[in-house]
Amino acid sequence: MTRIATEQSSKWLDVDPWETIQKDYQPTAIALDHFEHEINVVQQGIAAGEGQRKPVRIVLLAGADLIQTMSTPGVWSQEDLNHILGKYGVFIVERTGTDMDDALATLAPWRHNIWVIQQLIQNDVSSTKIRLFLKRDMSVRYLVPAPVINYINEQGLYQDDGASSSIHEKEKESKGKATLEPTSSG
């Protein structure tokens, strides 16, 4: 779905399916190692002009809700935290309802490798909320690219057992009725 979302809307984003085609779950540290190897070893970095290539820094991009789990004892191993935050670092996208000071409190040893992307416009859209909306037969129009909605609908994803209506049928039914569409304020 990420590939579908970016293939028509971005010339600089690319999606690597490696993690999704693995037989077993791949820890975040292993996924970051994979990208480091593929980009900086196999591809010898990125084009830097005049036929030159240069290595890039691989960094985890995560929502504040994920980072908060890193501060929760017993969720992440110390070894993984050292590897992810020490070797790679993280850009954290603020999320409504997450106390950043609390989330970062126990991550102080890696503070030099943590960058917070402040949320200038309140936006609490997340994949978790999108899945919840879909399970409740709520519209995600304007929150997810249309080709992704089509794919979800075609595959019958995120529907509760016994859900009889498709996403498109629900959206057609809602025309002319009050719906739970996003407002201009968020």
PDB file of all heavy atoms in Angstrom, residues 137 139 141-142 165 168-182:
ATOM      1  N   ASP A 137     -16.385   1.053   9.323  1.00  0.00           N
ATOM      2  CA  ASP A 137     -17.041   1.492   8.089  1.00  0.00           C
ATOM      3  C   ASP A 137     -17.127   3.008   7.981  1.00  0.00           C
ATOM      4  O   ASP A 137     -18.091   3.548   7.439  1.00  0.00           O
ATOM      5  CB  ASP A 137     -18.436   0.867   7.952  1.00  0.00           C
ATOM      6  CG  ASP A 137     -18.367  -0.596   7.563  1.00  0.00           C
ATOM      7  OD1 ASP A 137     -17.407  -0.964   6.859  1.00  0.00           O
ATOM      8  OD2 ASP A 137     -19.254  -1.349   7.964  1.00  0.00           O
ATOM      9  N   SER A 139     -15.454   6.662   6.601  1.00  0.00           N
ATOM     10  CA  SER A 139     -14.717   7.105   5.425  1.00  0.00           C
ATOM     11  C   SER A 139     -13.295   7.532   5.782  1.00  0.00           C
ATOM     12  O   SER A 139     -13.069   8.176   6.809  1.00  0.00           O
ATOM     13  CB  SER A 139     -15.439   8.286   4.775  1.00  0.00           C
ATOM     14  OG  SER A 139     -14.666   8.793   3.698  1.00  0.00           O
ATOM     15  N   ARG A 141     -11.600   8.927   3.114  1.00  0.00           N
ATOM     16  CA  ARG A 141     -11.384   9.796   1.957  1.00  0.00           C
ATOM     17  C   ARG A 141     -10.689  11.071   2.432  1.00  0.00           C
ATOM     18  O   ARG A 141     -11.020  11.613   3.485  1.00  0.00           O
ATOM     19  CB  ARG A 141     -12.727  10.128   1.325  1.00  0.00           C
ATOM     20  CG  ARG A 141     -12.623  10.816   0.011  1.00  0.00           C
ATOM     21  CD  ARG A 141     -13.986  10.928  -0.597  1.00  0.00           C
ATOM     22  NE  ARG A 141     -13.911  11.594  -1.869  1.00  0.00           N
ATOM     23  CZ  ARG A 141     -14.937  12.106  -2.485  1.00  0.00           C
ATOM     24  NH1 ARG A 141     -16.147  12.011  -1.967  1.00  0.00           N
ATOM     25  NH2 ARG A 141     -14.792  12.700  -3.632  1.00  0.00           N
ATOM     26  N   TYR A 142      -9.720  11.545   1.694  1.00  0.00           N
ATOM     27  CA  TYR A 142      -8.882  12.707   2.004  1.00  0.00           C
ATOM     28  C   TYR A 142      -7.816  12.410   3.060  1.00  0.00           C
ATOM     29  O   TYR A 142      -6.979  13.250   3.329  1.00  0.00           O
ATOM     30  CB  TYR A 142      -9.701  13.935   2.421  1.00  0.00           C
ATOM     31  CG  TYR A 142     -10.786  14.292   1.439  1.00  0.00           C
ATOM     32  CD1 TYR A 142     -12.121  14.247   1.811  1.00  0.00           C
ATOM     33  CD2 TYR A 142     -10.480  14.628   0.126  1.00  0.00           C
ATOM     34  CE1 TYR A 142     -13.125  14.553   0.908  1.00  0.00           C
ATOM     35  CE2 TYR A 142     -11.475  14.928  -0.792  1.00  0.00           C
ATOM     36  CZ  TYR A 142     -12.794  14.899  -0.387  1.00  0.00           C
ATOM     37  OH  TYR A 142     -13.786  15.192  -1.279  1.00  0.00           O
ATOM     38  N   SER A 165     -20.594  -4.321   3.551  1.00  0.00           N
ATOM     39  CA  SER A 165     -20.447  -3.217   2.607  1.00  0.00           C
ATOM     40  C   SER A 165     -18.987  -2.920   2.348  1.00  0.00           C
ATOM     41  O   SER A 165     -18.150  -3.001   3.226  1.00  0.00           O
ATOM     42  CB  SER A 165     -21.106  -1.956   3.171  1.00  0.00           C
ATOM     43  OG  SER A 165     -22.463  -2.185   3.391  1.00  0.00           O
ATOM     44  N   HIS A 168     -16.297   1.740  -0.810  1.00  0.00           N
ATOM     45  CA  HIS A 168     -16.934   2.569  -1.833  1.00  0.00           C
ATOM     46  C   HIS A 168     -18.449   2.599  -1.673  1.00  0.00           C
ATOM     47  O   HIS A 168     -19.074   3.639  -1.851  1.00  0.00           O
ATOM     48  CB  HIS A 168     -16.562   2.089  -3.232  1.00  0.00           C
ATOM     49  CG  HIS A 168     -15.126   2.333  -3.557  1.00  0.00           C
ATOM     50  ND1 HIS A 168     -14.578   3.593  -3.605  1.00  0.00           N
ATOM     51  CD2 HIS A 168     -14.118   1.475  -3.831  1.00  0.00           C
ATOM     52  CE1 HIS A 168     -13.295   3.497  -3.914  1.00  0.00           C
ATOM     53  NE2 HIS A 168     -12.998   2.230  -4.049  1.00  0.00           N
ATOM     54  N   GLU A 169     -19.048   1.478  -1.325  1.00  0.00           N
ATOM     55  CA  GLU A 169     -20.499   1.456  -1.124  1.00  0.00           C
ATOM     56  C   GLU A 169     -20.881   2.375   0.026  1.00  0.00           C
ATOM     57  O   GLU A 169     -21.852   3.113  -0.063  1.00  0.00           O
ATOM     58  CB  GLU A 169     -20.985   0.025  -0.845  1.00  0.00           C
ATOM     59  CG  GLU A 169     -20.932  -0.866  -2.069  1.00  0.00           C
ATOM     60  CD  GLU A 169     -21.138  -2.339  -1.736  1.00  0.00           C
ATOM     61  OE1 GLU A 169     -21.156  -2.690  -0.539  1.00  0.00           O
ATOM     62  OE2 GLU A 169     -21.271  -3.133  -2.668  1.00  0.00           O
ATOM     63  N   LYS A 170     -20.107   2.355   1.089  1.00  0.00           N
ATOM     64  CA  LYS A 170     -20.397   3.227   2.233  1.00  0.00           C
ATOM     65  C   LYS A 170     -20.268   4.697   1.835  1.00  0.00           C
ATOM     66  O   LYS A 170     -21.051   5.533   2.246  1.00  0.00           O
ATOM     67  CB  LYS A 170     -19.451   2.927   3.403  1.00  0.00           C
ATOM     68  CG  LYS A 170     -19.784   1.651   4.104  1.00  0.00           C
ATOM     69  CD  LYS A 170     -21.080   1.809   4.856  1.00  0.00           C
ATOM     70  CE  LYS A 170     -21.418   0.531   5.585  1.00  0.00           C
ATOM     71  NZ  LYS A 170     -22.724   0.563   6.193  1.00  0.00           N
ATOM     72  N   GLU A 171     -19.242   5.021   1.037  1.00  0.00           N
ATOM     73  CA  GLU A 171     -19.063   6.404   0.618  1.00  0.00           C
ATOM     74  C   GLU A 171     -20.190   6.840  -0.309  1.00  0.00           C
ATOM     75  O   GLU A 171     -20.667   7.964  -0.234  1.00  0.00           O
ATOM     76  CB  GLU A 171     -17.689   6.602  -0.021  1.00  0.00           C
ATOM     77  CG  GLU A 171     -16.593   6.554   1.027  1.00  0.00           C
ATOM     78  CD  GLU A 171     -15.214   6.864   0.497  1.00  0.00           C
ATOM     79  OE1 GLU A 171     -15.049   7.025  -0.728  1.00  0.00           O
ATOM     80  OE2 GLU A 171     -14.297   6.967   1.323  1.00  0.00           O
ATOM     81  N   LYS A 172     -20.642   5.946  -1.194  1.00  0.00           N
ATOM     82  CA  LYS A 172     -21.766   6.280  -2.073  1.00  0.00           C
ATOM     83  C   LYS A 172     -23.031   6.501  -1.258  1.00  0.00           C
ATOM     84  O   LYS A 172     -23.783   7.435  -1.500  1.00  0.00           O
ATOM     85  CB  LYS A 172     -21.995   5.162  -3.098  1.00  0.00           C
ATOM     86  CG  LYS A 172     -20.958   5.115  -4.186  1.00  0.00           C
ATOM     87  CD  LYS A 172     -21.242   3.939  -5.116  1.00  0.00           C
ATOM     88  CE  LYS A 172     -20.098   3.741  -6.083  1.00  0.00           C
ATOM     89  NZ  LYS A 172     -20.287   2.544  -6.896  1.00  0.00           N
ATOM     90  N   GLU A 173     -23.248   5.634  -0.262  1.00  0.00           N
ATOM     91  CA  GLU A 173     -24.434   5.751   0.589  1.00  0.00           C
ATOM     92  C   GLU A 173     -24.425   7.055   1.377  1.00  0.00           C
ATOM     93  O   GLU A 173     -25.476   7.617   1.676  1.00  0.00           O
ATOM     94  CB  GLU A 173     -24.501   4.584   1.583  1.00  0.00           C
ATOM     95  CG  GLU A 173     -24.814   3.258   0.950  1.00  0.00           C
ATOM     96  CD  GLU A 173     -24.651   2.108   1.941  1.00  0.00           C
ATOM     97  OE1 GLU A 173     -24.463   2.373   3.145  1.00  0.00           O
ATOM     98  OE2 GLU A 173     -24.694   0.954   1.498  1.00  0.00           O
ATOM     99  N   SER A 174     -23.237   7.550   1.721  1.00  0.00           N
ATOM    100  CA  SER A 174     -23.153   8.721   2.576  1.00  0.00           C
ATOM    101  C   SER A 174     -23.341  10.033   1.823  1.00  0.00           C
ATOM    102  O   SER A 174     -23.481  11.073   2.443  1.00  0.00           O
ATOM    103  CB  SER A 174     -21.806   8.742   3.304  1.00  0.00           C
ATOM    104  OG  SER A 174     -20.763   8.966   2.387  1.00  0.00           O
ATOM    105  N   LYS A 175     -23.336  10.018   0.489  1.00  0.00           N
ATOM    106  CA  LYS A 175     -23.522  11.256  -0.261  1.00  0.00           C
ATOM    107  C   LYS A 175     -24.855  11.880   0.119  1.00  0.00           C
ATOM    108  O   LYS A 175     -25.884  11.238   0.112  1.00  0.00           O
ATOM    109  CB  LYS A 175     -23.447  11.007  -1.758  1.00  0.00           C
ATOM    110  CG  LYS A 175     -22.030  10.728  -2.204  1.00  0.00           C
ATOM    111  CD  LYS A 175     -21.914  10.677  -3.698  1.00  0.00           C
ATOM    112  CE  LYS A 175     -20.461  10.441  -4.040  1.00  0.00           C
ATOM    113  NZ  LYS A 175     -20.236  10.348  -5.435  1.00  0.00           N
ATOM    114  N   GLY A 176     -24.804  13.155   0.460  1.00  0.00           N
ATOM    115  CA  GLY A 176     -26.013  13.857   0.851  1.00  0.00           C
ATOM    116  C   GLY A 176     -26.362  13.687   2.322  1.00  0.00           C
ATOM    117  O   GLY A 176     -27.291  14.297   2.822  1.00  0.00           O
ATOM    118  N   LYS A 177     -25.611  12.866   3.035  1.00  0.00           N
ATOM    119  CA  LYS A 177     -25.845  12.656   4.461  1.00  0.00           C
ATOM    120  C   LYS A 177     -24.660  13.210   5.235  1.00  0.00           C
ATOM    121  O   LYS A 177     -23.584  13.403   4.693  1.00  0.00           O
ATOM    122  CB  LYS A 177     -25.976  11.156   4.775  1.00  0.00           C
ATOM    123  CG  LYS A 177     -27.121  10.467   4.069  1.00  0.00           C
ATOM    124  CD  LYS A 177     -27.096   8.987   4.425  1.00  0.00           C
ATOM    125  CE  LYS A 177     -28.150   8.226   3.644  1.00  0.00           C
ATOM    126  NZ  LYS A 177     -28.040   6.793   3.897  1.00  0.00           N
ATOM    127  N   ALA A 178     -24.844  13.421   6.504  1.00  0.00           N
ATOM    128  CA  ALA A 178     -23.733  13.851   7.347  1.00  0.00           C
ATOM    129  C   ALA A 178     -22.755  12.688   7.457  1.00  0.00           C
ATOM    130  O   ALA A 178     -23.140  11.557   7.717  1.00  0.00           O
ATOM    131  CB  ALA A 178     -24.233  14.243   8.726  1.00  0.00           C
ATOM    132  N   THR A 179     -21.472  12.955   7.227  1.00  0.00           N
ATOM    133  CA  THR A 179     -20.451  11.921   7.316  1.00  0.00           C
ATOM    134  C   THR A 179     -19.348  12.371   8.243  1.00  0.00           C
ATOM    135  O   THR A 179     -19.261  13.540   8.603  1.00  0.00           O
ATOM    136  CB  THR A 179     -19.843  11.605   5.935  1.00  0.00           C
ATOM    137  OG1 THR A 179     -19.212  12.798   5.455  1.00  0.00           O
ATOM    138  CG2 THR A 179     -20.876  11.121   4.955  1.00  0.00           C
ATOM    139  N   LEU A 180     -18.484  11.450   8.571  1.00  0.00           N
ATOM    140  CA  LEU A 180     -17.351  11.753   9.426  1.00  0.00           C
ATOM    141  C   LEU A 180     -16.137  12.054   8.567  1.00  0.00           C
ATOM    142  O   LEU A 180     -15.126  11.378   8.645  1.00  0.00           O
ATOM    143  CB  LEU A 180     -17.097  10.597  10.384  1.00  0.00           C
ATOM    144  CG  LEU A 180     -18.216  10.338  11.371  1.00  0.00           C
ATOM    145  CD1 LEU A 180     -17.937   9.072  12.150  1.00  0.00           C
ATOM    146  CD2 LEU A 180     -18.371  11.513  12.318  1.00  0.00           C
ATOM    147  N   GLU A 181     -16.231  13.038   7.739  1.00  0.00           N
ATOM    148  CA  GLU A 181     -15.113  13.480   6.909  1.00  0.00           C
ATOM    149  C   GLU A 181     -14.272  14.454   7.719  1.00  0.00           C
ATOM    150  O   GLU A 181     -14.779  15.129   8.610  1.00  0.00           O
ATOM    151  CB  GLU A 181     -15.635  14.196   5.646  1.00  0.00           C
ATOM    152  CG  GLU A 181     -16.456  13.307   4.740  1.00  0.00           C
ATOM    153  CD  GLU A 181     -15.611  12.345   3.941  1.00  0.00           C
ATOM    154  OE1 GLU A 181     -14.419  12.586   3.736  1.00  0.00           O
ATOM    155  OE2 GLU A 181     -16.160  11.319   3.520  1.00  0.00           O
ATOM    156  N   PRO A 182     -12.995  14.588   7.392  1.00  0.00           N
ATOM    157  CA  PRO A 182     -12.162  15.545   8.109  1.00  0.00           C
ATOM    158  C   PRO A 182     -12.642  16.969   7.823  1.00  0.00           C
ATOM    159  O   PRO A 182     -13.143  17.250   6.744  1.00  0.00           O
ATOM    160  CB  PRO A 182     -10.768  15.304   7.555  1.00  0.00           C
ATOM    161  CG  PRO A 182     -10.965  14.535   6.310  1.00  0.00           C
ATOM    162  CD  PRO A 182     -12.284  13.852   6.399  1.00  0.00           C
TER     163      PRO A 182
END
